[in-house]
């Protein structure tokens, strides 16, 4: 599958989800075939751990369709980046989508400075902090910039440096269930934003 075909499949899946289509069934036949023949996910999605943002549901997908990496605030750790590299090199996923969302608790907490936790939680908030700083603590803008920062993190990692055309960003609105926009890299490696569909 090409990157464009993968993007189209995400768009169609999301359209079906919005139209109230039933979640596709992962039949026992499908499960057996995925076990015997292996997985061939058509996209890698990095998204927040938030329970309202499950990508398989938002894109109307079945088991085997999406390779998913999740952490609060849709940030990538070394392990997450390694997972992404594995999907790209070994599973040949043709597209990477960073899916942020509105009213993100992790971004909101980073904006409000109200998180008191141990080292790992602090590290997560620190990772979001640059976006918060540029956004001057405006949560909505910080969410947008945080998506872009994760896109840049991916592009900066050696396996993806030559493949900016497969890296995308989007933001899911948890109130309307719609995806607000699509971000991608232009020829000068600047991020541009256009409507999702
Ligand atoms: Zn979130």
């Amino acid at each position: 599958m090409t990157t464009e075909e993968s993007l189209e499949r995400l768009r169609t899946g999301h359209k079906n989800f919005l139209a109230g289509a039933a979640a596709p069934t992962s039949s026992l036949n499908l499960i057996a075939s995925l076990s015997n023949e292996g997985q061939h996910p058509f996209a890698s999605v990095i998204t927040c751990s938030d329970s309202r943002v499950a990508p398989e549901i938002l894109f109307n997908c079945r088991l085997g369709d999406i390779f998913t990496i999740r952490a609060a605030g849709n940030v990538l750790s070394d392990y997450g980046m390694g997972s992404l590299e594995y999907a790209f090199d070994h599973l040949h996923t043709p597209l990477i989508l960073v899916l942020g969302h509105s009213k993100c608790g992790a971004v909101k907490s980073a904006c409000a400075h109200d998180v008191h936790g141990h080292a790992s939680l602090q590290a997560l908030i620190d990772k979001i902090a640059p976006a918060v700083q540029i956004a001057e603590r405006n949560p909505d803008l910080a969410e947008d910039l945080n998506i872009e920062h994760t896109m840049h993190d991916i592009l900066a990692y050696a396996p993806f440096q030559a493949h900016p055309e497969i890296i995308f960003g989007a933001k899911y609105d948890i109130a309307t269930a719609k995806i607000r926009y699509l971000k991608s890299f232009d020829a000068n490696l600047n991020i541009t934003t256009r409507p999702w569909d």
Side-chain angles (χ1 to χ4, degrees):
M1 188 182 282
T2 65
T3 302
E4 197 47 49
E5 287 167 345
S6 169
L7 185 59
E8 209 38 54
R9 194 160 163 195
L10 288 172
R11 284 185 173 124
T12 303
H14 187 58
K15 205 174 287 174
N16 291 341
F17 165 74
L18 282 175
T25 315
S26 295
S27 66
L28 292 178
N29 277 345
L30 171 70
I31 290 165
S33 133
L34 287 169
S35 170
N36 295 330
E37 292 155 33
Q39 58 170 327
H40 303 284
F42 73 88
S44 289
V45 177
I46 299 104
T47 193
C48 185
S49 302
D50 193 302
S51 61
R52 298 164 290 186
V53 195
E56 293 85 352
I57 294 175
L58 303 183
F59 294 115
N60 207 236
C61 284
R62 302 183 302 176
L63 293 177
D65 285 342
I66 296 183
F67 191 90
T68 311
I69 298 154
R70 299 182 70 168
N74 44 270
V75 295
L76 273 171
S77 63
D78 282 352
Y79 302 126
M81 198 70 85
S83 305
L84 205 53
E85 179 182 352
Y86 172 80
F88 181 67
D89 277 351
H90 298 273
L91 306 178
H92 310 294
T93 53
L95 178 147
I96 295 169
L97 177 68
V98 179
L99 183 67
H101 70 100
S102 63
K103 297 186 180 177
C104 180
V107 174
K108 194 175 157 201
S109 298
C111 288
H113 261 325
D114 70 349
V115 171
H116 304 287
H118 290 92
S120 296
L121 178 54
Q122 193 55 54
L124 185 101
I125 297 300
D126 289 349
K127 182 75 179 153
I128 300 170
V132 167
Q133 202 174 358
I134 298 168
E136 297 177 335
R137 308 201 176 282
N138 174 317
D140 191 46
L141 183 55
E143 286 157 2
D144 295 343
L145 292 171
N146 191 47
I147 291 165
E148 297 191 4
H149 285 186
T150 300
M151 292 172 69
H152 279 296
D153 284 349
I154 296 166
L155 186 64
Y157 187 55
F160 303 112
Q161 279 169 2
H163 302 285
E165 74 286 353
I166 71 165
I167 303 168
F168 295 86
K171 184 169 181 178
Y172 174 72
D173 187 318
I174 64 164
T176 64
K178 288 181 181 165
I179 294 178
R180 286 187 189 169
Y181 54 63
L182 184 72
K183 291 179 181 288
S184 57
F185 288 102
D186 68 15
N188 298 315
L189 300 182
N190 294 315
I191 292 178
T192 60
T193 306
R194 60 186 190 272
W196 166 255
D197 48 17

